[in-house]
């Protein structure tokens, strides 16, 4: 992959660098929002023991700095009708990563994609209603993307949330 020519989108901090250092209160706010993104500013302020105006200003700053990139519901894929999940490992032609990325973003059922170092170039998380749809996504959609050389599919039997996030 042509990593030397990567240019981050304008206005964003370089990859791997924080926009601004976070203090303990910022981290506490982020932990609470990760646990429940629907908290009111008042409840959030009470939980982190600072004023509502301070919480509001800090959240706004972290949104402006790109630390907080959005607020979303956590959805159970099985209950949402996406009971078949797999990681698809993709090898691509050298220097094609920009085009491959653009095209993979348009493939239905791809929930997440990541460019990685190692034996493969891209790992995508695919969630589909059933095995037939998964087969179609991998063999008809992903393989049809110009620049894709090969894939390996790892079926996910079970999942559990990790203890990740901010500590």
């Amino acid at each position: 992959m042509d990593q030397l020519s990567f240019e981050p989108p304008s206005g964003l901090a370089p990859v791997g660098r924080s926009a601004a250092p976070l203090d303990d209160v910022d981290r506490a706010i982020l932990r609470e929002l990760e646990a429940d993104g629907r908290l009111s500013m008042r409840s959030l302020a009470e939980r982190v023991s600072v004023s509502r105006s301070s919480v509001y200003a800090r959240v706004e700053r972290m949104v402006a700095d790109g630390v907080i990139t959005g607020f979303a519901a956590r959805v159970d894929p099985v209950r949402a009708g996406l009971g078949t999940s797999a990681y698809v490992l993709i090898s691509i032609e050298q220097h094609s990563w920009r085009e491959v990325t653009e095209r993979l973003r348009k493939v239905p059922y791809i929930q997440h994609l990541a460019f990685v170092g190692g034996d493969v170039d891209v790992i995508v998380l695919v969630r589909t209603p059933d095995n037939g749809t998964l087969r179609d996504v991998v063999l008809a959609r992903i393989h049809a993307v110009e620049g894709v050389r090969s894939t390996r599919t790892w079926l996910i039997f079970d999942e559990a949330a990790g203890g990740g996030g901010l500590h």
Side-chain angles (χ1 to χ4, degrees):
M1 293 187 338
D2 182 15
Q3 295 175 348
L4 297 177
S5 63
F6 175 73
E7 297 174 17
S10 62
L12 295 180
V15 176
R17 296 190 187 163
S18 297
L22 303 177
D23 64 17
D24 290 340
V25 175
D26 291 334
R27 285 187 193 80
I29 290 169
L30 293 173
R31 276 193 304 273
E32 293 296 332
L33 288 174
E34 281 183 326
D36 183 358
R38 295 178 58 178
L39 281 175
S40 68
M41 291 295 164
R42 179 180 178 195
S43 296
L44 184 56
E46 290 172 1
R47 289 185 184 193
V48 299
S49 302
V50 297
S51 72
R52 188 169 46 192
S53 62
S54 177
V55 163
Y56 184 79
R58 286 170 178 266
V59 169
E60 287 298 310
R61 175 182 44 81
M62 288 188 281
V63 168
D65 287 349
V67 174
I68 296 174
T69 58
F71 299 86
R74 287 187 296 262
V75 177
D76 181 314
V78 174
R79 291 179 184 252
L82 302 173
T84 300
S85 298
Y87 289 110
V88 180
L89 289 70
I90 305 170
S91 294
I92 64 173
E93 294 172 1
Q94 190 172 15
H95 304 294
S96 67
W97 66 274
R98 282 189 178 99
E99 296 81 14
V100 170
T101 299
E102 182 69 27
R103 291 183 181 112
L104 286 176
R105 286 183 176 147
K106 296 176 183 173
V107 174
Y109 300 109
I110 290 181
Q111 182 174 6
H112 177 82
L113 65 94
F115 280 89
V116 297
D119 297 341
V120 297
D121 302 304
V122 183
I123 298 176
V124 297
L125 173 59
V126 179
R127 296 191 189 277
T128 63
D130 51 48
N131 287 350
T133 306
L134 175 62
R135 179 192 62 230
D136 178 62
V137 169
V138 174
L139 298 179
R141 307 273 185 146
I142 294 175
H143 277 275
V145 171
E146 188 175 332
V148 170
R149 290 183 7 207
S150 65
T151 63
R152 287 185 292 183
T153 302
W154 293 358
L155 191 61
I156 298 171
F157 293 128
D158 196 11
E159 296 181 76
L166 300 171
H167 295 282

